[in-house]
Amino acid sequence: MTDTPAQRIGANVRAEMARRGISQVAIASKLGLPQTSVSKRLRGEVAFNVDELTAVADHLGVPLAALLAEQPATT
């Protein structure tokens, strides 16, 4: 099964959140969204919009390109 772009981006965001110890609640607060809405985005059920993804990248301290990458960066 091929992941959709929304699923791939959600996985990249989850990976970066895990590396930095940042919770869904923290991301939800940053975006002004309910945690359930962030959860749907992280699973790829709903796509992040550009403004949301930019805010997430800023909050995580990573370039936007890192969240869009085909393969998540390894550290």
Side-chain angles (χ1 to χ4, degrees):
M1 180 174 139
T2 303
D3 288 343
T4 67
Q7 290 169 328
R8 178 177 39 83
I9 291 167
N12 290 347
V13 172
R14 284 193 317 271
E16 293 297 338
M17 288 170 59
R19 284 187 189 98
R20 288 159 178 74
I22 296 176
S23 69
Q24 286 185 27
V25 172
I27 297 295
S29 177
K30 175 70 176 176
L31 297 178
L33 294 171
Q35 184 271 330
T36 55
S37 295
V38 171
S39 180
K40 287 179 182 179
R41 284 162 174 75
L42 294 175
R43 290 191 310 265
E45 293 174 13
V46 174
F48 283 97
N49 70 38
V50 173
D51 292 335
E52 291 168 349
L53 201 56
T54 300
V56 169
D58 289 345
H59 189 68
L60 294 173
V62 299
L64 183 59
L67 303 180
L68 300 172
E70 291 291 327
Q71 296 293 323
T74 56
T75 56

